[in-house]
Amino acid sequence: MRRLFVAGGAGFIGSNFIRYVMRERPDVAVVNFDALTYAGNPANLADVSDEARYSFVHGNVADAPAVAAAMEGCDAVVNFAAESHVDRSIEDASDFMETNARGAYNVLAAARDLGVEFVLHISTDEVYGPATKDNPRHENDAFKPRSPYAVSKAAGDMMCHAFAETYGLQVVVARPANNVGPYQYPEKAIPLFVTNAIENEPLPVYGEGLQLRDRLYVEDNCRALLLLLERGDKGEAYNIQADNHRPNIDVARTVLDLLDKPYTLIQFVEDRAGHDPCYWMDSSKLRALGWEPQFDFDAAMQETVRWYVEHKDWWRQIKSGDFRAYYERQYGDRLAASRPYAS
Ligand code: NAD
Ligand code: DAU
């Protein structure tokens, strides 16, 4: 049996990935190492947590001895652990540097020292900075990260290449686009829009809502990650993009259409500082391994909205806690000065 060390497995993508791997690979055991920050939630894995081949270790990737102790006996590593929200990195990026840069280093160093066979590190399309459809980013292009979050992720990503070159560590870097799907913390745009719409609360769209993001369904991402874990070329990076790009205003309108709610719930609010207008990657390197997304934009949005409608207890519990203080800081003044939607 293969023993997989997963860092950050209690968050959005990590929990979907653990569930996916345990379903697709019955011989794989998983050690989920997670600090359970505000974004980590044991409820995300309630359906697999009783299985004998699943274990949970409460720990912080910034704590090097704890990482090494939990990784002992594992033959592969997947690192999702991160502070992941761009808006929070604009408020204060110190935890981002600690987890996304130092934490990534600690995971790589433990894997090297323990002789782990393979590491899959989860980076992001944001390391490239803005790009366009006519000028998409390829894996060897220069990094031009612009937000504090993206810079902290670029540090972790580049450290992977240093470990491959310097120590011969067998490491692959995945650079996924914007994911959408079940269990995403409702600070992110799509779950925020969906859950606010269900409650007849305003949907705060930044600026004019014209920024473009790909909408990669999380299960398509998990399929790509498992493929890279098993067949990725060591020392290489791979872009993961579904080509489901839409401007944010279209996403807000799609959410409202699916819930049969009026567009007047949309409020245009002060833009994100340094807001990247568009990310666009070329994902032919991954597609050459046989990967294709199975969810187009409409299917991804339908599945996602349906899940949030059917799991109100999950997100209502989150939104009634510390989230309220964050929401007030992030949106209180913005909504007070917002501009209404006009068709
Ligand atoms: P998330 O915020 O939902 O989950 C992050 C998880 O990491 C949580 O379980 C949290 O408790 C854990 N964590 C945070 N700090 C930790 C620490 N110091 N030690 C151990 N665990 C810690 O994030 P996500 O959206 O699931 O993103 C997962 C990874 O994928 C991140 O590395 C992110 O940068 C990357 N990524 C995300 C997206 C996206 O659209 N969500 C797209 C591309 C890349
Ligand atoms: O592209 C990959 C990245 O996708 C990941 O690396 C990040 O971890 C992940 O959080 C996500 O970053 P984004 O900044 O793209 O996601 P977010 O959901 O915060 O924002 C998506 C778009 O919606 C972005 O253009 C900003 C806009 N937005 C966001 C929020 C929270 C709004 O218009 N209103 C909002 O309230």
Side-chain angles (χ1 to χ4, degrees):
M1 180 188 280
R2 207 164 177 208
R3 200 167 164 81
L4 202 57
F5 176 92
V6 178
F12 164 44
I13 305 176
S15 62
N16 277 284
F17 179 76
I18 288 175
R19 184 176 298 99
Y20 181 79
V21 168
M22 291 182 71
R23 188 180 79 211
E24 297 293 319
R25 298 291 181 270
D27 60 334
V28 169
V30 171
V31 178
N32 179 10
F33 181 90
D34 197 296
L36 297 182
T37 66
Y38 76 91
N41 186 350
N44 296 358
L45 285 163
D47 51 335
V48 298
S49 59
D50 287 341
E51 287 199 38
R53 61 199 173 97
Y54 173 83
S55 58
F56 178 75
V57 178
H58 189 196
N60 193 318
V61 288
D63 179 351
V67 173
M71 200 184 285
E72 182 98 49
C74 293
D75 35 30
V77 165
V78 185
N79 185 14
F80 294 97
E83 288 295 335
S84 65
H85 194 33
V86 174
D87 291 325
R88 290 188 194 250
S89 81
I90 293 168
E91 282 189 322
D92 178 0
S94 47
D95 286 349
F96 289 73
M97 293 308 293
E98 199 60 13
T99 297
N100 304 359
R102 174 168 291 281
Y105 170 77
N106 288 343
V107 169
L108 293 165
R112 175 199 59 197
D113 296 347
L114 292 165
V116 166
E117 286 166 24
F118 186 73
V119 176
L120 177 63
H121 178 83
I122 315 304
S123 181
T124 170
D125 59 359
E126 300 205 14
V127 296
Y128 297 116
T132 61
K133 184 177 185 180
D134 296 335
N135 188 14
R137 292 292 167 261
H138 297 80
E139 283 81 355
N140 291 331
D141 286 356
F143 287 0
K144 292 189 178 165
R146 292 173 74 237
S147 73
Y149 161 75
V151 169
S152 69
K153 290 296 290 182
D157 185 319
M158 293 170 92
M159 191 58 79
C160 293
H161 296 281
F163 268 66
E165 295 292 335
T166 311
Y167 308 111
L169 187 74
Q170 305 285 289
V171 54
V172 163
V173 173
R175 299 193 186 123
N178 201 297
N179 277 228
V180 51
Y183 299 104
Q184 188 170 29
Y185 193 84
E187 66 190 349
K188 306 292 178 0
I190 292 178
L192 183 71
F193 291 174
V194 175
T195 58
N196 278 14
I198 291 170
E199 307 277 37
N200 298 311
E201 295 284 336
L203 279 57
V205 173
Y206 292 162
E208 305 290 323
L210 300 179
Q211 294 79 13
L212 279 173
R213 297 286 185 270
D214 186 34
R215 308 296 175 177
L216 167 66
Y217 193 61
V218 66
E219 190 175 310
D220 279 331
N221 187 28
C222 291
R223 226 166 7 87
L225 296 177
L226 183 55
L227 180 65
L228 294 180
L229 187 61
E230 296 180 337
R231 294 195 24 225
D233 276 340
K234 314 300 183 295
E236 296 289 318
Y238 291 84
N239 296 336
I240 309 176
Q241 177 176 280
D243 299 338
N244 288 337
H245 292 77
R246 294 288 187 286
N248 294 326
I249 186 64
D250 283 11
V251 172
R253 281 193 290 244
T254 301
V255 166
L256 294 167
D257 287 342
L258 287 167
L259 291 168
D260 200 19
K261 300 275 183 174
Y263 291 168
T264 49
L265 282 176
I266 292 171
Q267 291 288 325
F268 294 103
V269 300
E270 182 192 346
D271 209 348
R272 172 183 282 175
H275 199 168
D276 284 341
C278 178
Y279 303 119
W280 210 296
M281 300 181 291
D282 179 304
S283 57
S284 50
K285 188 171 167 184
L286 172 68
R287 290 170 192 249
L289 295 179
W291 179 85
E292 287 287 335
Q294 291 176 353
F295 291 80
D296 64 12
F297 175 77
D298 289 337
M301 292 301 295
Q302 279 160 19
E303 286 299 306
T304 302
V305 170
R306 187 176 56 77
W307 190 86
Y308 283 89
V309 167
E310 290 173 359
H311 292 82
K312 295 192 183 80
D313 288 351
W314 180 87
W315 56 263
R316 280 192 174 138
Q317 184 162 8
I318 293 170
K319 289 185 95 171
S320 65
D322 294 345
F323 183 84
R324 293 287 347 147
Y326 166 76
Y327 193 81
E328 184 52 36
R329 279 200 316 280
Q330 182 66 17
Y331 297 103
D333 289 348
R334 276 187 156 100
L335 282 168
S338 63
R339 188 166 55 81
Y341 181 88
S343 54

